[in-house]
Structure formats: C-alpha cells, structure tokens
Amino acid sequence: MSLSSTFVKPVVGRRSGLRTGSRVSVTPQAATVVETAKAAGCGMAASAIKYSGLDLSSGNYTFFAPTDEAFKALPADVFESLHGNPELLAEVMSFHLCKGKTPGRFLENSPMMATLLTGEGGGRDTKLALGLRAGTQYMYTGSSDEKETAKGEICIGAPFQSTQGLPGPIEGGVITQTDLEADNGVVHVVDGVMIPKEPLPGDNGKTEQY
C-alpha cells in the first residue's frame, strides 16, 4: 500500500449514539490530535501519522500539522520519497510532534522546541526553530525563495544550519491557526511541511535565537 492511497477526504469528528425508545441521544466524543488535524484540513498529515505507525496512544502532544496544500506543494522528489517508506515518514512526522501540550500563547516563549525525534539523537537538528519576530526569514521546504514574516506571524521549521553559527532562514512554513483542542493535546496548523536535516560535519551546535 502506498502513502498516497491513505490520503482521504477529512471526516469531522466522531459521534456515538445511544437509542432510548424512539429517540437517539448523540454524545460527542473527544477527538485525538490526529483526528482534530484531519477535521481542520490536514487529512494528509493525519494519514501520514497512521501509515508511519507512530504510536500516540499515551500522553499529550503538540502537533504542528501541515495542511493538505502544504503536502501537495512539496517538490515531486521529496513527496515521492515518502511513498512506501514508513520509516522515513515516521521521522518526518515525528519532527512535527512535541511532547506535552503547548498552547499558542506559550509559543512566543519557545524559540526552539524539542520534537519526538530528540530522543533518537538529540541536538539542534531534531528541534524546531520558531521565528517570533516580524521580519524573520523563512522558506518553504524545497524552495530557495526566501520570505519574511509579517507582524504577528510565527514561522516554524528546521533551523538554518551553519558551522559558524550564522543566522539564516528557517525552512518550514508559517503557523496559520492555533489552539485546536484535542483530548490528548493541541493542534497548530502550518502551511508548510517540515523536514529534519542531517547534522553538518563539524557543526558546533550554535543557532540564531529567532
């Protein structure tokens, strides 16, 4: 089964019905971060997590969920590399997930956020960088077109890599929606897909505090 076959139309929420006589009582059920993301137009991200085999059954998570449009905008070679490769897909989607629940109002205090990849090697290359200041440079994955955040925007993604610790554009996207509540965390929608980078040889670990 290919990854593309798991990309299905989002379904909003879940409901359970209890029939009492001739009436049906509908009781809303809380949705997981995956289901919440799917309902918010991030169905490909939700399917990618399921296909990758990531287990989010315990604990709380902050999910920076890429939109379907973000996946479709990936360069063809990057998109195709994820097909039929659950292991690679698990790494990419782990890069979009952080342990614990971080509401939108706390993102401004988090210039770097550890992801689920951190436990597999540590270091800045498994952390997300957040551009908190207006005018922060960023670019979408696979693009060389540098952009700048407007006032009130937060960009997020892989930090710029430099053996000299020089500042540079974040590679990822902009957070377009925050604080979608789920029963096991919170979802923030992003208009780009974030790809973890391999550490550079001799990387001294320094990074600009965006």
Side-chain angles (χ1 to χ4, degrees):
M1 180 176 68
S2 69
L3 175 61
S4 59
S5 67
T6 69
F7 288 169
V8 296
K9 184 178 180 181
V11 178
V12 180
R14 297 178 295 166
R15 297 190 301 175
S16 63
L18 176 63
R19 184 172 295 276
T20 56
S22 60
R23 301 179 62 185
V24 176
S25 174
V26 178
T27 304
Q29 294 182 354
T32 66
V33 289
V34 174
E35 293 164 335
T36 300
K38 185 176 182 180
C42 305
M44 288 186 174
S47 295
I49 285 183
K50 292 181 179 179
Y51 181 66
S52 71
L54 286 175
D55 183 8
L56 305 180
S57 60
S58 62
N60 289 324
Y61 300 93
T62 298
F63 183 18
F64 294 97
T67 61
D68 290 348
E69 290 74 17
F71 271 101
K72 294 174 184 177
L74 283 174
D77 59 333
V78 176
F79 189 87
E80 290 299 325
S81 70
L82 301 177
H83 282 223
N85 193 336
E87 184 176 346
L88 176 60
L89 196 59
E91 291 183 6
V92 171
M93 296 316 298
S94 292
F95 197 53
H96 293 74
L97 288 154
C98 304
K99 289 184 178 180
K101 180 178 178 179
T102 304
R105 67 182 183 276
F106 292 143
L107 293 178
E108 295 183 0
N109 299 321
S110 306
M112 298 289 288
M113 293 187 67
T115 68
L116 296 192
L117 276 181
T118 300
E120 299 181 10
R124 52 169 279 203
D125 302 289
T126 58
K127 293 182 179 179
L128 291 170
L130 282 79
L132 307 174
R133 299 194 298 261
T136 299
Q137 293 182 324
Y138 72 96
M139 56 188 182
Y140 292 103
T141 298
S143 172
S144 58
D145 183 18
E146 293 186 13
K147 301 177 180 296
E148 291 187 355
T149 54
K151 183 178 180 180
E153 285 186 334
I154 296 177
C155 62
I156 185 171
F160 180 74
Q161 293 180 319
S162 169
T163 56
Q164 303 300 319
L166 300 175
I170 292 172
E171 189 169 342
V174 171
I175 298 174
T176 59
Q177 192 173 2
T178 61
D179 296 324
L180 302 179
E181 294 286 337
D183 64 345
N184 66 336
V186 65
V187 175
H188 306 306
V189 178
V190 184
D191 67 357
V193 178
M194 303 175 290
I195 306 294
K197 297 179 179 180
E198 292 293 330
L200 292 176
D203 192 339
N204 59 15
K206 294 181 180 178
T207 185
E208 173 78 357
Q209 292 299 302
Y210 302 92

